[in-house]
Amino acid sequence: MTTLTEAVRAGRTAEVVGLLDDMADTERRASFPELKALRKELRATRWDGPSRRAYPALYVAGVACQTGAAGVASWIAAADMRWPGVSPAVLLRVLADREAGWLADLANRLAQRPATAQVPYDLMSALVRLAGCPVPTTDAYVRGWVQQVGGNWRRGNTLLDRLRTDPHLAPLVAALFEVNDIGGLLEWAADEGPASWHGALAQLTAEGPLDRRATVDACVARLLRGGTSADHRAFLRVLTSLALTREEQRERVADWVALASDAVSPVASHAQSVLGTLALDGQLTYRRLVEVSEAVLFRPERKLVRAQLVLLGKVLARDAAAADELLPAVAQAFGHEDPGVQERALKLAQRHVKKVRSAEVRAELASAADELIPPLRAQAVGPLGAAPAEVAPVYEEVLPLVPEPTRLVPAAGSVVELAEEVGAALASDTDVTGFERALDGLVRHAHRDRDALLEALEPVISRRWWDGADPFYDLRLEHQFGDARGGFDGFAGLDLLLITLRGKLSTTRLNAAIRPGAPHRTCAHGALSQPFDARLWEVAYRMRTDPLPFLLSTPTWSTGLLEPDELVERLDTYRRLGTRVSAADFAQALLRVRRGDRPAAAAAAAAERAAALGTAEGKRLAHWLTAGAPVLPAIRRRTSGPRILAESGELPELQEGFPDAFRALGRPAGAFAESRYCAHWSGSAHPHWLAVLPELRELVAVRILRDLSAVAVDDSRGAASVLPLLAESGGEAGEATHLCVAYGLGARHPEDRLAAVDALLVLAARGELDAARLGADLGELVQHGAVKPLRLAESLRTAASTGAYATVWGLLGHALPPLLSDLAADGPAGPVRGLGDLLAVAAECAERSGARGDLPHLARAADRRGSSRLVAEARRLRGALAPEVAA
């Protein structure tokens, strides 16, 4: 070991720098292999004391002892070298004797690294200064420059002052407009004046250091390219600060048209205002105005559309000859989703239609009127010459096909195939089918040849977090799997069996987990998690002591259902092999075996075959099959703040003759009886709990209802993903199931709302949707503040757009009356925010489905003063429900 390596290992950075100063290039190069070997050694124990002490010195020595700029750049930017915190001045000292060309090469290589490499900007800029080379304009360098210049407020001067003295101002500012996601950094500085980026850039453009035309072009091009909301906000402020002249605005008409058509709302609004000013000054051709109008009127933002209609109205009022060109553009708004926009466009067309000279244009306006909602279309019959509405065809509801469960294929026949399946299940969010097939495969092959199974699983096991040699992993393993704490999902369940196969859990610990009365930390989900966990613990114990040939409870179908004939055959095989039945496995098989939706004769035949086996399990199965489906306990609603929850009564049938871990399924489920401790925060176990009770989904829904309420009340994410599976499950879809769907329809995140829409449509397609119940639930949840109307409107609009207009109207017909009843004519409290959006969805559904009748309290809302969206949509809905009155 050389003196240099000893100093590096000891962490004496100052001594290392002195040694490097006295070494020739050949000596440095000769020392590098030892440094490289030391780096490899330190990686294995990166976070212990000696390694942390040695890394800063190793960092400096490795930079000095390499010849090539590429190697030095890789060393500096390496992930394991980022944290030492060595000052760039130390690196520059050991690099100062290199040639300028070499330093320039290093500076450019470092600048080419991604910003996530965290190469210090001070180092890159100092290398550029030493080399006298052109400044790099890469993403990392520009970001570093923005942070350095914008954040150097301690010098006491403004950002404008610092930029004025920057020798590389022009190329770096030009590159600033090319960097993605830079807007957040530009907003760090003060909001206005010379201390802000937009104020400083505008001032430098006015003073001359920055070319005005190039800066304006770059800013407009950046907005056209798009990006994050922060980018749009930052560069729009730069553009407005530049205060373009009328001539500069006129030169870029094509850019304004593109921005008004496709940019985000704030940018489009600015472009629209520029085009509006040019149009009113007579500096915009009608052809261009038509082009931008057709694009803007197609946008969903009502503010932009209304502003464009106002502009068209002003131009038409000034020049009667413009009607032939502009009114067809106005008619583009006849098909807008907002009836208020349609009404504005129709009034504008009616006001100026007399100015139209061309018969073709009149015919075009009359044809476009077909896009208007029925009440407005009736108003267009006379003035615009629209044809009277024809008798609408009989409405037909479009619902999705009822999803069919898939049959599980047999377990993998070879250990190699099984290892691939287990690896795939652990690497992705596996469903019930994948988990149950992998579980049964592990049990079967552990029984046949445990050693061959372990050999095939070695690549899978070696990648698991718990398979490390570090004692830390053993402590984590003992903490997570050391007792029956009841926190398993599909991932952890497969891990438990792999850990057992590996021999990392003792037989004593496994036996303790399956003993009756083993301690469990209970929570609201305990009744569902304990049966699932008990089965896994018992399988693991038997895998160690008395391996099972296969599982009795492996379902036949993806929903978790098990066909009675298959269970009888499995019990018969157990009898012939002399296999002792696992209590938890058999209990789960009973809960999964199909009893509902099955002819009585078939059930009796299966029961007779089971009784003929002559075993205790056969007799129990025969009794279970002939007892019929259990009657669900009463469900009672409870409130907790804004939440509406549910609790269920007792179900003795699920307590008698079942193991301890299963009996809680039949006990009452309280809305508030939950422990502070809960290991099921992720919701990943929900699908597996549904498969525990595939014909009793109400009992599952009662216990996960609070989780589902969180997606609407607490804005949590992901829990609603179970809703389609809940809709496809078996048993009565009662109070708790409908409340779960109601919360999902009001979820904060779009993916949760889409899952709830899927569940809603599946229930409707299966004939299990109680529209009156779900509608009343939605109305009550909105009143309580648990569900926001805007989110609910978006969900229901999505559901209706699939063709389920009658279904959605059936919900809103029961949800809206309590909300409308809260509208006081002169009361201090205003209407519920978003009620107008719900009325809009209801009006569209009523129009398309042909719904008729009276909606309580709607007339009072429709008779309110003003032209708000709520009033407009209430009038539209009243006209749709009673067209003869509206006419």
Side-chain angles (χ1 to χ4, degrees), residues 306 309 337-345 376 869 872-873:
R306 290 172 181 172
L309 290 175
E337 62 181 20
D338 183 4
V341 169
Q342 292 187 20
E343 186 176 9
R344 285 173 178 264
L376 295 180
R869 189 176 193 203
E873 296 296 352

Side-chain angles (χ1 to χ4, degrees), residues 304-566:
L304 291 176
V305 174
R306 290 172 181 172
Q308 195 66 24
L309 290 175
V310 170
L311 172 61
L312 290 171
K314 291 180 179 180
V315 176
L316 286 167
R318 288 187 176 191
D319 186 1
D324 286 85
E325 292 188 67
L326 298 185
L327 279 185
V330 173
Q332 296 290 322
F334 288 175
H336 198 274
E337 62 181 20
D338 183 4
V341 169
Q342 292 187 20
E343 186 176 9
R344 285 173 178 264
L346 177 60
K347 289 180 179 179
L348 181 59
Q350 290 174 334
R351 190 180 309 126
H352 298 283
V353 69
K354 295 180 180 179
K355 303 174 184 178
V356 175
R357 301 174 184 175
S358 169
E360 293 180 358
V361 172
R362 288 181 176 273
E364 185 177 349
L365 293 176
S367 176
D370 292 342
E371 299 293 327
L372 293 166
I373 60 175
L376 295 180
R377 184 179 178 184
Q379 298 176 27
V381 171
L384 298 188
E390 299 178 358
V391 177
V394 177
Y395 171 75
E396 293 185 9
E397 185 83 342
V398 178
L399 293 172
L401 295 175
V402 176
E404 297 291 338
T406 58
R407 180 180 281 272
L408 266 70
V409 297
S414 69
V415 290
V416 174
E417 182 184 356
L418 174 62
E420 292 176 354
E421 290 187 6
V422 172
L426 291 170
S428 62
D429 189 8
T430 186
D431 57 8
V432 171
T433 301
F435 168 75
E436 292 290 345
R437 189 167 185 265
L439 182 65
D440 190 41
L442 287 171
V443 170
R444 289 175 182 270
H445 286 284
H447 179 267
R448 293 174 191 169
D449 191 340
R450 177 191 178 95
D451 294 335
L453 176 60
L454 266 175
E455 182 179 354
L457 287 171
E458 182 60 33
V460 177
I461 293 177
S462 62
R463 292 195 297 268
R464 302 308 293 162
W465 61 265
W466 44 262
D467 198 48
D470 195 313
F472 169 76
Y473 297 117
D474 292 334
L475 290 174
R476 274 193 62 189
L477 183 63
E478 184 175 353
H479 174 73
Q480 184 161 341
F481 295 97
D483 56 37
R485 65 178 58 243
F488 285 138
D489 55 12
F491 294 101
L494 293 178
D495 265 333
L496 174 63
L497 298 194
L498 296 181
I499 290 167
T500 302
L501 286 169
R502 191 63 131 183
K504 284 183 169 286
L505 284 178
S506 66
T507 305
T508 302
R509 183 162 295 166
L510 292 170
N511 183 48
I514 67 170
R515 283 202 309 267
H520 290 272
R521 291 180 177 178
T522 58
C523 63
H525 313 100
L528 298 170
S529 66
Q530 289 176 23
F532 181 74
D533 300 342
R535 175 178 172 235
L536 289 169
W537 281 112
E538 198 166 273
V539 168
Y541 178 73
R542 291 290 297 271
M543 189 177 284
R544 176 69 61 80
T545 60
D546 183 16
L548 296 167
F550 53 83
L551 292 176
L552 295 173
S553 58
T554 301
T556 307
W557 303 100
S558 57
T559 57
L561 270 179
L562 172 59
E563 293 297 339
D565 294 336
E566 290 192 29

